[in-house]
């Protein structure tokens, strides 16, 4: 069993066979031992891809992206910012992202200074469900002309279709834990 | 000259002799080389304090807190969450934090699960200005009965009084860069 899967079984809580809470090591308290082990696996998967930058979305992605950026040789990371305003800003790339847990749509943006057609990007996030965050980041990379080399995810809920959607777009997906289903509020890997 | 100060001179931008933008290595794009060097200095300063947990506030503190938590021996970190609602929640410690740059007051919270009287805490953040964020985190630690061993800050604007306020409360403050003033939109260290 993968170490992230073991940690989920030990400390995760499933609500209504749908939402997985992993606040003890990923989304509120963060355990660097767990995240660094994941980051090393990610680096092994993507080391030959010439990645020069990691891209994530605030908030929960940041610590994971930091660990992955370190494991890939202390390359820079950029986090897309959630923006409240709908004001047009020529200095940023912007995309709408649907939140699976909240049911809302939020614009996120990245300054044009920190993403360009020279970049080979690894996307990093905590959860992959329907793939909405990843699609937003793909959209932003596409606007910048940056090449997306893959997506590294700590936990995917594979039954919600995010992986299939992204693989159909040619994106290589790596997950630390792949949940096939929730049964009686327990994850099945 | 300290490495953070050198980086600020090279890449920072000062607006209206008041706001320092360091988006290229700290607040939007993050440079792990710079942050890890800072984290090592922090660990050297606080290694003997028996710190078992790092506490920060989302968003900009998270990557820095992660690096510091690693440097202190892969101890856990917790980030206080910005909460929109004023609803009373018995499961969290909550405090109000004033934002210097935005002029707003926001409640932040930490789950009671992840902070207790057994904890010896190092507070970590990106900026120290008037000390509002740090006061909020001190308040939360006080509610939990946790002992605050110090505050590590990447950049302090010493003329805004945050250090003095905190040192008067007995908090040891370490900063990667200490700005005495802005003159003609340039920082003076």
């Amino acid at each position: 069993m993968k170490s992230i899967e073991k940690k989920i079984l030990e400390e995760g809580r499933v609500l209504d066979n749908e939402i997985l809470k992993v606040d003890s090591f990923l989304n509120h308290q963060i355990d660097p031992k767990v995240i660094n082990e994941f980051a090393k696996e990610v680096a092994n998967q993507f080391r030959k891809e010439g990645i020069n930058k990691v891209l994530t979305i605030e908030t929960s992605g940041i610590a994971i992206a930091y660990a992955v950026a370190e494991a890939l040789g202390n390359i820079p990371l950029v986090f897309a910012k959630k923006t409240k305003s709908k004001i047009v800003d020529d200095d940023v790339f912007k995309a709408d992202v649907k939140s699976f847990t909240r049911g809302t749509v939020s614009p996120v943006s990245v300054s044009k200074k920190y993403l360009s057609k020279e970049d080979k990007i690894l996307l990093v996030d905590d959860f992959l469900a329907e793939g909405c965050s990843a699609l937003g980041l793909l959209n932003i990379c596409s606007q910048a002309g940056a090449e997306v080399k893959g997506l590294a995810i700590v936990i995917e809920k594979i039954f919600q279709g995010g992986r299939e959607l992204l693989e159909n777009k040619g994106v290589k997906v790596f997950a630390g834990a792949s949940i096939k289903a929730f049964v009686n509020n327990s994850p099945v890997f």
Side-chain angles (χ1 to χ4, degrees), chain A:
Chain A
M1 176 171 282
K2 292 177 177 181
S3 62
I4 301 279
E5 293 176 357
K6 190 162 169 284
K7 196 82 177 171
I8 293 169
L9 289 179
E10 284 167 4
E11 300 185 13
R13 284 179 308 127
V14 181
L15 312 177
D16 302 328
N17 274 329
E18 188 169 308
I19 305 289
L20 175 63
K21 299 283 278 182
V22 283
D23 275 0
S24 68
F25 66 94
L26 190 62
N27 295 127
H28 186 16
Q29 180 168 257
I30 299 170
D31 184 342
K33 291 189 192 83
V34 175
I35 304 305
N36 281 344
E37 193 175 326
F38 167 76
K40 275 182 202 160
E41 289 173 19
V42 172
N44 287 338
Q45 287 290 322
F46 291 97
R47 200 177 301 281
K48 292 174 183 166
E49 303 283 354
I51 290 159
N52 71 317
K53 199 169 274 188
V54 170
L55 178 64
T56 189
I57 295 191
E58 65 173 85
T59 305
S60 295
I62 295 174
I64 306 155
Y66 191 88
V68 169
E70 281 185 307
L72 285 169
N74 284 324
I75 62 175
L77 64 138
V78 173
F79 61 89
K81 296 188 172 192
K82 291 171 185 165
T83 47
K84 278 167 198 151
S85 73
K86 298 254 175 198
I87 295 167
V88 175
D89 181 346
D90 286 343
D91 298 333
V92 301
F93 304 114
K94 197 179 262 191
D96 282 334
V97 170
K98 201 176 120 192
S99 164
F100 172 74
T101 38
R102 294 198 195 95
T104 55
V105 174
S106 315
V108 299
S109 67
V110 173
S111 166
K112 288 184 180 174
K113 283 185 208 157
Y114 306 124
L115 214 49
S116 79
K117 63 181 166 45
E118 315 298 326
D119 288 326
K120 294 182 196 311
I121 301 289
L122 181 63
L123 307 178
V124 170
D125 212 350
D126 55 344
F127 274 94
L128 177 62
E130 293 172 318
C132 304
S133 296
L135 281 184
L137 293 179
L138 271 181
N139 180 342
I140 280 174
C141 288
S142 163
Q143 291 172 47
E147 189 181 349
V148 174
K149 288 294 192 176
L151 169 66
I153 287 288
V154 181
I155 302 169
E156 66 172 335
K157 297 188 279 185
I158 205 163
F159 56 94
Q160 288 183 305
R163 173 184 284 268
E164 192 179 359
L165 179 76
L166 291 158
E167 287 182 342
N168 285 342
K169 288 178 178 292
V171 178
K172 178 179 168 183
V173 178
F174 175 80
S178 298
I179 297 172
K180 286 193 186 122
F182 292 122
V183 176
N184 298 328
N185 281 333
S186 289
V188 179
F189 299 110

